[in-house]
Structures are given as structure tokens and as C-alpha cells.
Amino acid sequence: MKSDREPATTIVARASAPGLGGVGVIRISGSDTKAIATALLGKIPENRFATKSSFFDDSGNALDHGLALFFLGPASYTGEDTLELHCHGSPVVLDQVLKRVLELGAELARPGEFTERAFLNGKLDLAQAESVADLINSQTQAAAKFALRSLSGIFSKEIDELSRRIETVRVLVEATIDFSDEPVDDLSVDTLRLHITEISEKIRKILDRSRPGLLLSQGATIVIAGPPNAGKSSLLNAFAGSEKAIVSPHAGTTRDLIEAHIDLGGIPVHMVDTAGLRASDDDIEAEGVRRARETIDAADLVLCVLDDSDPASSRFELHLETGRTAKQITVFNKSDLSGRLIGDISDGINAAVAVSAKNGTGIKQLTEAIRTALGFQGDDEDLILARRRHLNVLEQALGLMDSASALDEPELVAEELRLAHRLLGEITGVFSTEDLLGEIFSSFCIGK
Ligand SMILES: Nc1nc2c(ncn2[C@@H]2O[C@H](COP(=O)(O)OP(=O)(O)O)[C@@H](O)[C@H]2O)c(=O)[nH]1
Ligand SMILES: [Mg+2]
């Protein structure tokens, strides 16, 4: 799908969101940009200066008046000549101007095609290009902040450093192969193992900072489960800050899955309230229980809510009741009734927090416990906003280092190092396939 267009084609798209707006932006990029500017504006605007201009149709009538911004390539976002037209933000006006640019020979851009060109022209590496989409899609301030950091190249730089490190060791190993007749003093097996252990350590550290970052970009799914009447729906409402779910003293009230999207201290969370887990003769409730069990499988974390004032409820155990093991925090609810002190009561093995969903007390401590359980610590200043693809590469590279450290033959070690080096290159796009690029850029919005 990528190579069906000549790179010389000039592309155009609306860069601002659809609908009405004060200003609407149309963006043009490619080798015909100057010619299009001449026909549309009657001139090529001065490089990098906001120029007031009319946008003319083929008979010389103005379609709109606005600002034109010309960027002479390669000093532009895409690396090509580009033109931005700031029109009045009316869909009708924008449509007319867009049609005119198409008449002048441009083609409609595919999703992400401007950024794809920026990548192909070496303006951004692949991880940075992905962070453009992550920034646009970010749902919380924290996600936006870390996407911007990746865009500025912080993550790519670490991957490049790691790559260079692997490359250096690989060169050392290959030297021992080439000169195997002579003793090579500076690379004993022990030294080589040490190098590999250090590389593994580095990869592990990047992974530790990336895993929570994945939740920042993709959001975490948290399922509220437990016995009937424990206060699960009340807890969802306390987090959502509104009466999302019906709360009632009747057991079996919640049947459908009830979902809320919340910003949990910067983590975009998809929180799901479920039917109380019990055997039921009621078909609808039984279906609700079945769905509750199913969502637990998809959860990043389960909040197992118990009624602390009810001894039967306190004996409930999630894995016994569902046959499933999930990362969980036990929430002792109704502490206002049981008299338990509100707050974190984790014992080092099991995470547990005492709250009162009804009064909204303990929610802050529970939020903290959730952040910890999801791998966030303290200020998290050095998190990496990773994608699943990056984690997969890093995990595979770690696997290769593990097997390399178990090998004695330098030829075999060199091969593992070569593979790991190549894999890391996939993160920044030093090595990439058409399929991978197609997959990444097609998920962008049009005009970016
Ligand atoms: N005293 C007290 N009552 C609560 C608390 N949380 C929930 N309840 C009550 O317990 C009952 C069941 O609550 P609900 O949220 O519907 O429980 P669910 O069945 O687990 O969803 C309702 O009458 C709530 O008002 C709490 O923290 N303290
Ligand atoms: Mg409920």
C-alpha cells in the first residue's frame, strides 16, 4: 500500500479537525507546491513568513482570504516544500480550497502521509514519528508530556546508545573470530559475559520504564469485582465523580458491565464495574456474572471489593470464586461501618486498602496503591511512553542476550548480537519493512 505513489507526488489534506472552527488549516507538501502557490495565491509567499493572501479559483475569484505560510524544503516538517493555508474554519470554504488544490494537481494525502514523508526524508526517526500520533491521541496531561519527550528524541537516543553498545561488543567478538589463530587478550570469555550482562541490565532498565509508559499511551483497564452488595458500584461512582452506576441495597442490582473513563493521577483508566460474583438462578444475573469473569481476563488490575462490615463478604477470594488469577488489590469497603482505619493496609505480599466508597474516604490512598500496582513510582520523571511494538522488540532483544550469555562459541554469540542490533534498529526505523511502516502510519489521522 505504501509504494503505490510516486514520492514526487504533491499531497494535500485538511490539517485541522473536521467541523466548524475559527480557523481551518490546509496543508500541501511536495515538489509542485511552488507552482500550486503561484496559481492559488498569485505568488510564492516569502519563506517562513505569515503572508496575508487571497485564495483564488481558476477564474481569479477569491474563494477565501487568510494566511499563507510557505516552508522551503528541506527545512520543513516533511523535508519537502510545504504550504499551509489558514482559511476561515468553515467546512464549505475548506472544501472549496481543497478542491482547487486538487485541480492544480495535488493528490489527497493518506492518513499519516505527511509524517511518513518526514520519516522517509530523515526529519524524524520511527519512534519519534509514532510519538507524533501518541501526542495527538494523548488522553491525559502526563501522556502528552511523555509523548512530547519521545518526540524530542529522548527515547530514540537511549535506543541508539544501546544499539551502539551492542555493535561495539559485536565488533570485539567478530575480531576474535577473524584472528582466531592468534590469542586475543582483550576479550576473554569472562569479559564478554560481563559486557553481555551489562547490556541485558540496560535493556531491563529501559523495559522497566517502558511498561508503565505503555499504560500511559494505551490506557489501563481496571475491573471492579467482588461479592454482591460490597459497594462495587459505589466505588466506581466515587472514582468517576458521578452516579454512573445504580447503587442499591439489593444484591444483584448491577448486571451489565458499567464503564467509566477516568484520569487516575495521569493514567488514562478504563474502569469497569461488574455484577457481584455469586451463583444465581436468574438468567440475566448469571449472564452478568459470566461477563464479569470474562472482563477479569482483560484487566491490567482487579479491585476486589469486600464489605468489611460483613464477615461472609470478607472471606471472599477472587481466584476461588472465578478460577482466575489476576493482579489485584483487595479493597476493604464500608470501613465507616467496620471501624477499620482508612488507608493502605498492604502487608508486603498482598496489596490492600481500607476505604469508604460511600463517604469517599480512602480513595486517594487507593489511587496511590493502584499507581504502584501498575508499576508507577514516585515522580516517574524518566518514564518512556512506549508502544507494544517497542516492548516486544526490547523483550526479544533481552531473550537474545540471555541466550548469548549461555553460549561459548564466538560465532554464535556474534550472531545473537547481530540479531539484537537489528531488532533495536526496528524501533527507530533504521531497519523497517513496508508492512511495518504501513501499519504505523495508517493509524494516524489525515493531515498529519
Ligand atoms: N456504610 C456504607 N455503605 C456503603 C458503602 N459503599 C456502599 N454502601 C452501600 O452498600 C449497598 C450496596 O452498594 P453497591 O455499590 O450497590 O454495591 P455492589 O452491589 O457491590 O455494586 C448500598 O446500599 C450502598 O449505599 C460504604 O462505604 N459505607
Ligand atoms: Mg453494583
Side-chain angles (χ1 to χ4, degrees), residues 13 67 74 103 134 160 174 218 237 265 273 292 305 337 341 349 353:
L67 285 181
E103 275 168 22
D134 292 339
D160 286 342
E174 283 179 355
Q218 315 215 322
N237 292 346
D273 177 28
V305 182
L337 296 182
L341 211 59
I349 301 167
V353 182

Side-chain angles (χ1 to χ4, degrees), residues 232-234 245-247 253-254 273-276:
K232 299 179 295 301
S233 298
S234 303
I246 300 174
V247 167
T253 302
T254 309
D273 177 28
T274 62

